[in-house]
């Protein structure tokens, strides 16, 4: 199937003298200019958020939410709300863990202390998949139904850098283990106001289908 191309446009609210408090980003498909919801956009700024404790539940044999955004050092509970057992695991370099067959909720949460993209699966239900995006920045957020997100930009007492890494991640990137990174300069943002990059997305997957590579690795252990 043909891959889709995504066009990202960053509409930057940055004055000439210093970096502004907010950055608005719009993500849309190049063909037809349709907006892309659920893309995670972030800058690696000097401002780091405190850890939190959240949940990723299993209900109707699906993970909820499908994508969870966390500050580094945060912990996640995995309550099972189904009437069947689940076996949640990840082999991702940012966090490898294994919650063996269980009902209800594991006693201890899983701590995600390293930035990166964590792909989750269930060894019992092959179609189940979810992602946790762990970041060390406050300047992060998902695009809405209009393909837009406004993120806070705060370097604290640090000097504003000459360039910034704009990270764009989506579950359907050809390599969804890491974001697409684009270098953008403060000067170009203040003068042009818009940065554009194109990225590819794979087609929407079916809910039921053959085992993906992550699940095959688990079965081969």
């Amino acid at each position: 199937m043909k891959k889709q191309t995504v066009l990202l446009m960053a509409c930057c609210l940055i004055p000439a003298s210093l970096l502004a408090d907010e950055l608005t980003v719009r993500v849309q498909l190049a063909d037809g200019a349709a907006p892309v919801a659920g893309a995670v956009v972030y800058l690696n700024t000097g401002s780091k958020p405190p850890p939190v404790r959240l949940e990723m539940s299993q209900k109707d044999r699906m993970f909820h939410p499908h994508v969870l955004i966390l500050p580094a050092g945060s912990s996640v509970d995995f309550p099972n709300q189904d009437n069947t057992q689940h076996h949640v695991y990840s082999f991702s370099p940012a966090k490898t863990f294994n919650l063996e067959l269980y009902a209800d909720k594991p006693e201890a949460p899983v701590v995600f202390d390293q930035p990166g993209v964590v792909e989750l699966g269930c060894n019992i239900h092959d179609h189940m998949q979810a992602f946790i995006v762990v970041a060390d920045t406050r300047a992060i957020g998902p695009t809405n139904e209009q393909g837009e997100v406004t993120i806070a930009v705060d370097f604290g007492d640090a000097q504003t850098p000459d360039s910034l890494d704009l990270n764009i991640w989506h579950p359907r990137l050809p390599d969804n283990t890491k974001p697409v990174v684009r270098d953008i300069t403060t000067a170009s943002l203040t003068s042009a106001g818009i940065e554009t990059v194109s990225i590819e997305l794979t087609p929407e997957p079916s809910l039921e289908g053959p085992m993906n590579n992550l699940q095959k690795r688990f079965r081969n252990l």
Side-chain angles (χ1 to χ4, degrees):
M1 299 177 68
K2 183 179 179 181
K3 292 182 178 179
Q4 295 171 304
T5 300
V6 172
L7 183 68
L8 180 141
M9 297 192 301
C11 308
C12 309
L13 311 175
I14 301 182
S17 59
L18 53 90
L19 204 62
D21 294 332
E22 293 182 340
L23 172 67
T24 298
V25 175
R26 184 185 303 121
V27 182
Q28 64 182 29
L29 289 172
D31 297 335
V36 176
V40 180
V41 180
Y42 60 98
L43 295 168
N44 291 318
T45 73
S47 180
K48 299 181 180 181
V52 296
R53 182 166 179 172
L54 298 177
E55 287 189 352
M56 177 171 279
S57 61
Q58 301 109 64
K59 186 177 182 180
D60 299 326
R61 299 184 181 184
M62 295 179 65
F63 287 106
H64 301 274
H66 181 59
V67 176
L68 184 62
I69 301 173
L70 290 178
S74 297
S75 54
V76 178
D77 291 293
F78 290 88
N80 181 359
Q81 300 175 5
D82 281 328
N83 58 5
T84 184
Q85 293 183 320
H86 291 296
H87 187 154
V88 180
Y89 66 96
S90 174
F91 286 106
S92 300
K95 186 65 180 183
T96 299
F97 70 96
N98 183 32
L99 301 177
E100 295 185 358
L101 204 63
Y102 71 93
D104 298 323
K105 185 175 75 172
E107 183 176 348
V110 178
V111 178
F112 295 82
D113 50 8
Q114 182 177 337
V117 178
V118 182
E119 182 181 5
L120 310 176
C122 175
N123 190 41
I124 307 302
H125 306 101
D126 293 337
H127 69 277
M128 289 178 62
Q129 184 188 48
F131 299 88
I132 296 179
V133 181
V134 186
D136 243 347
T137 177
R138 294 179 186 272
I140 186 170
T143 55
N144 58 21
E145 292 300 322
Q146 289 72 46
E148 297 181 356
V149 60
T150 298
I151 55 179
V153 181
D154 179 14
F155 290 95
D157 296 330
Q159 183 178 359
T160 302
D162 294 331
S163 63
L164 303 169
D165 285 338
L166 183 65
N167 300 267
I168 310 101
W169 178 87
H170 192 278
R172 291 192 286 116
L173 284 174
D175 180 2
N176 61 13
T177 65
K178 58 185 179 181
V180 172
V181 181
R182 295 290 183 267
D183 180 73
I184 54 178
T185 65
T186 303
S188 68
L189 294 177
T190 57
S191 59
I194 296 178
E195 287 289 328
T196 62
V197 298
S198 60
I199 59 176
E200 291 184 336
L201 291 186
T202 59
E204 288 278 5
S206 60
L207 291 179
E208 300 285 350
M211 287 190 300
N212 61 28
N213 290 334
L214 179 66
Q215 292 154 343
K216 288 178 180 179
R217 286 176 60 190
F218 189 98
R219 292 291 178 89
N220 291 334
L221 288 181

